[in-house]
Amino acid sequence: ISACAEARQWKDALRQFKVMQYQGLKPDIVTYNVIINALVQAKQWSVAEWVLNSAQDRGFVPDVIAVNAIISARAEAQHWKEALRLLKVMQHQGLKPDVVALSASIKACAKAQKW
């Protein structure tokens, strides 16, 4: 999965991620972070959020790295509502937003002139 992600082959990374689970292998938080980052780089934000939700459904509490990646990507794309929604989700899950999450959210609002 990491090799596919590094080669910017997000579809292959996602396919391997699904095969891994089909074969009964349980992804760990590092695997989730790798696939989320690959999807974010490919601008596949909705799929990245699906993977994040999938991690939560399997009992993983996502870490700040995964959520920050999606918030930052949404901010870059000027999707300020989604960035703020993810910031709230992060807080509801007991994750403390760090400087990356907060600055990305502020940046998204500033770009959209939503002060």
Side-chain angles (χ1 to χ4, degrees):
I1 293 173
S2 292
C4 294
E6 287 176 22
R8 299 194 185 277
Q9 300 295 320
W10 70 269
K11 289 180 183 177
D12 290 333
L14 188 59
R15 187 175 305 113
Q16 290 304 316
F17 178 73
K18 289 179 180 179
V19 166
M20 175 183 164
Q21 293 176 75
Y22 179 75
Q23 293 177 343
L25 300 171
K26 295 182 180 179
D28 60 9
I29 198 66
V30 173
T31 306
Y32 281 110
N33 286 347
V34 168
I35 192 72
I36 287 170
N37 281 321
L39 292 165
V40 163
Q41 289 176 1
K43 298 184 182 349
Q44 299 297 314
W45 308 299
S46 296
V47 182
E49 287 185 43
W50 172 81
V51 171
L52 183 67
N53 291 333
S54 172
Q56 294 167 335
D57 292 344
R58 288 179 171 76
F60 280 97
V61 175
D63 63 6
V64 174
I65 295 168
V67 182
N68 280 352
I70 300 173
I71 290 174
S72 296
R74 291 292 197 175
E76 277 298 313
Q78 299 182 17
H79 297 165
W80 65 275
K81 288 181 183 177
E82 289 86 353
L84 292 180
R85 180 183 54 76
L86 285 166
L87 187 63
K88 286 181 185 177
V89 166
M90 180 183 225
Q91 292 171 320
H92 287 308
Q93 292 174 341
L95 295 173
K96 185 177 179 183
D98 63 1
V99 69
V100 174
L102 295 172
S103 351
S105 298
I106 291 168
K107 181 180 176 181
C109 292
K111 281 185 172 185
Q113 297 182 353
K114 300 291 181 185
W115 322 105

